[in-house]
Amino acid sequence: QVQLVESGGGSVQAGGSLELSCVASAHIFSSCGVGWYRQAPGKERELVSAIGTDGVTSYADSVKGRFTISQDNGKNTVYLQMNSLKPEDTANYYCAAASALTCRDSSTSRYVYNYWGQGTQVTVSS
C-alpha cells in the first residue's frame, strides 16, 4: 500500500508564505500525476493544483499566480509553494497521487487519484 505524508502546514499572517511537502513510500509520482487538494469545514474538497509526468501544471483560479507546484521524483516528493496567503486559503491540505492504470478520466482529462495523505492544516490570519 502506497503511503503519502504531508508536512509544512502551520499558522501565518495574511501576505505570508508556506511550503508544503508530500513524501511517498514508493515511486508513484512518476506514474501519472500528483495533486494538492484542500478542504475547509462545511465546504467541498477543492483541487488546488496538479502536475503531470510531462511537467504540465494546472491551478485553481483562486490560487493562480500565488501558488506553485513542483516535484522531485528522485526523492519521491511533491511541493506546494504558497505565497501571498489569504484568510480564505485556510484549510486542511491533502496531497494525492494517480496510478498509471487509471491515470486520467476519459471525459474530463482530470487525474483519478488512488492514494491520499492524511493532510496538514494551514491557517491564515488577518
Side-chain angles (χ1 to χ4, degrees):
Q1 181 67 44
V2 174
Q3 293 180 308
L4 307 178
V5 180
E6 302 97 334
S7 63
S11 298
V12 65
Q13 294 182 352
S17 299
L18 287 173
E19 184 181 66
L20 306 183
S21 299
C22 176
V23 180
S25 62
H27 299 288
I28 188 64
F29 294 152
S30 62
S31 297
C32 183
V34 191
W36 283 97
Y37 277 79
R38 66 185 181 186
Q39 187 169 31
K43 296 185 178 180
E44 297 286 337
R45 183 172 293 184
E46 174 190 24
L47 177 63
V48 177
S49 182
I51 185 170
T53 56
D54 55 4
V56 176
T57 60
S58 63
Y59 298 91
D61 289 340
S62 59
V63 307
K64 197 170 298 181
R66 300 187 297 119
F67 290 11
T68 303
I69 189 171
S70 62
Q71 62 182 7
D72 185 338
N73 289 331
K75 297 180 179 179
N76 295 324
T77 303
V78 63
Y79 306 92
L80 185 68
Q81 178 65 49
M82 305 184 295
N83 298 323
S84 301
L85 284 163
K86 304 175 181 179
E88 52 261 45
D89 295 319
T90 296
N92 202 20
Y93 283 71
Y94 303 85
C95 67
S99 67
L101 291 179
T102 54
C103 201
R104 295 175 179 268
D105 181 89
S106 60
S107 61
T108 66
S109 295
R110 295 182 65 177
Y111 296 115
V112 179
Y113 297 108
N114 304 108
Y115 310 107
W116 294 81
Q118 295 299 307
T120 184
Q121 180 67 37
V122 172
T123 302
V124 184
S125 62
S126 301

